[in-house]
């Protein structure tokens, strides 16, 4: 897994006004939680943190006052419209420690002709060593026929990684793709529900 070093600063100001000032300085307010210790309030460089968080379950090496702290992102809050980082909760971990994390599932391949992939789960929960958390899991639907399903138990886990999600949970299911007529009918129904009236075509008038 990826490990990114980020230099943090201690945070002594709190509240909405302080948070706005921190963000105006292109920094992000954050809290570092650890085992049996009080939470540590810090600020992190916004651009570096944003780049790091593009990798799922990235391992952060937080440098604070000359001391290093390994941490995993636990909760990331973004602005609902603009998307910038508003606040981040981090969980301090130790090398060799087992942690429970949510790992995204990426679907690859194409089902058999006439099939449509329905994605039931976007991620699964696993336990893994803190410095070896998988970034993603791949599920191939190549050639799967209508009615086929892939379950959590079908995902090949690396050594040392254990499944927490229900093994029978459906990850993807293959259904019959809708016909053009069905798509048109559903579109017309949706438009009618919001009060959109279609002009009659020459074919329909005839």
């Amino acid at each position: 897994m990826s490990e990114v070093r980020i230099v943090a600063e201690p945070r002594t100001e709190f509240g909405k006004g302080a948070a706005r000032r921190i963000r105006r300085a292109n920094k992000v307010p954050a809290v570092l939680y650890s085992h049996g210790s009080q939470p540590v309030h810090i600020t992190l460089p916004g651009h570096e943190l944003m780049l790091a968080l593009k990798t799922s379950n990235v391992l952060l090496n937080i440098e604070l006052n000359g001391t290093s702290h390994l941490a995993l992102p636990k909760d990331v809050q973004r602005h609902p419209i603009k998307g910038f980082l508003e606040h981040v909760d981090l969980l301090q971990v130790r090398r060799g420690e087992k942690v429970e994390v949510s790992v995204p599932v990426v679907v690859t391949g194409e089902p058999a002709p006439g099939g449509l992939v329905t994605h039931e789960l976007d991620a699964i929960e696993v336990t893994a060593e803190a410095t070896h958390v998988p970034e993603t899991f791949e599920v191939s639907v190549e050639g799967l026929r209508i009615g086929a399903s892939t379950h959590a138990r079908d995902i090949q886990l690396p050594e040392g990684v254990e499944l927490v999600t229900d093994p029978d949970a459906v990850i993807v299911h293959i259904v019959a793709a809708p016909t053009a007529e069905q798509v048109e009918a559903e579109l017309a129904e949706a438009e009618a529900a919001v009060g959109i009236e279609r002009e009659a075509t020459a074919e329909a008038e005839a």
Side-chain angles (χ1 to χ4, degrees), residues 16 19-29 45-47 49-51 53 75-88:
K16 293 183 178 180
R20 284 194 291 268
R21 287 192 293 273
I22 291 171
R23 288 192 284 267
R24 280 198 296 269
N26 297 318
K27 298 178 182 180
V28 180
H47 182 67
L49 182 61
M50 180 185 65
L51 293 177
L53 292 179
D75 183 49
V76 179
Q77 298 176 20
R78 299 179 183 272
H79 189 280
I81 298 175
K82 297 181 180 179
F84 60 78
L85 296 172
E86 292 191 317
H87 188 275
V88 176

Side-chain angles (χ1 to χ4, degrees), residues 29-50:
V31 179
L32 178 63
Y33 294 92
S34 59
H35 305 280
S37 301
Q38 291 295 319
V40 179
H41 297 267
I42 58 177
T43 61
L44 299 170
H47 182 67
E48 292 177 37
L49 182 61
M50 180 185 65

Side-chain angles (χ1 to χ4, degrees), residues 5 20 23 34-35 37 41 55 61 73 84 89 98 106 108 122-123 142 149 159 161 170 172 194 203:
R5 177 181 175 273
R20 284 194 291 268
R23 288 192 284 267
S34 59
H35 305 280
S37 301
H41 297 267
T55 299
N61 191 330
F84 60 78
D89 285 340
K98 284 272 191 174
V106 178
T108 63
D122 294 325
E142 187 65 36
S149 297
E159 184 178 354
V161 177
V170 176
V172 293
V194 296
E203 180 180 347

Side-chain angles (χ1 to χ4, degrees), residues 2 4 6 46-60 73 76 78 85 104 135-136:
S2 300
V4 178
I6 294 184
H47 182 67
E48 292 177 37
L49 182 61
M50 180 185 65
L51 293 177
L53 292 179
K54 288 185 176 182
T55 299
S56 174
N57 293 315
V58 62
L59 182 65
L60 299 175
V76 179
R78 299 179 183 272
L85 296 172
E135 294 180 7
T136 59

Side-chain angles (χ1 to χ4, degrees), residues 5-204:
R5 177 181 175 273
I6 294 184
V7 178
E9 299 173 358
R11 178 160 57 100
T12 56
E13 289 187 303
F14 307 97
K16 293 183 178 180
R20 284 194 291 268
R21 287 192 293 273
I22 291 171
R23 288 192 284 267
R24 280 198 296 269
N26 297 318
K27 298 178 182 180
V28 180
V31 179
L32 178 63
Y33 294 92
S34 59
H35 305 280
S37 301
Q38 291 295 319
V40 179
H41 297 267
I42 58 177
T43 61
L44 299 170
H47 182 67
E48 292 177 37
L49 182 61
M50 180 185 65
L51 293 177
L53 292 179
K54 288 185 176 182
T55 299
S56 174
N57 293 315
V58 62
L59 182 65
L60 299 175
N61 191 330
I62 306 295
E63 296 284 342
L64 178 64
N65 295 331
T67 303
S68 296
H69 307 269
L70 290 178
L72 291 171
K74 197 65 177 175
D75 183 49
V76 179
Q77 298 176 20
R78 299 179 183 272
H79 189 280
I81 298 175
K82 297 181 180 179
F84 60 78
L85 296 172
E86 292 191 317
H87 188 275
V88 176
D89 285 340
L90 304 170
L91 177 64
Q92 186 171 340
V93 296
R94 297 182 293 268
R95 297 187 188 277
E97 177 186 3
K98 284 272 191 174
V99 293
E100 182 175 323
V101 291
S102 179
V103 180
V105 174
V106 178
V107 177
T108 63
E110 295 292 336
L116 179 68
V117 179
T118 60
H119 206 157
E120 304 293 338
L121 279 182
D122 294 325
I124 62 171
E125 303 291 326
V126 300
T127 58
E129 198 270 316
T131 59
H132 292 86
V133 175
E135 294 180 7
T136 59
F137 291 122
E138 282 194 3
V139 171
S140 175
V141 298
E142 187 65 36
L144 293 185
R145 298 184 179 276
I146 296 171
S149 297
T150 298
H151 300 81
R153 62 174 177 268
D154 300 320
I155 295 179
Q156 296 297 312
L157 302 179
E159 184 178 354
V161 177
E162 298 178 0
L163 183 65
V164 175
T165 295
D166 182 354
D168 294 328
V170 176
I171 305 297
V172 293
H173 183 61
I174 310 300
V175 299
T179 64
E181 290 78 11
Q182 289 172 325
V183 172
E184 181 67 18
E186 290 180 3
L187 179 60
E189 183 178 342
E191 290 177 344
V194 296
I196 299 175
E197 295 184 4
R198 291 190 176 189
E199 293 184 4
T201 62
E203 180 180 347

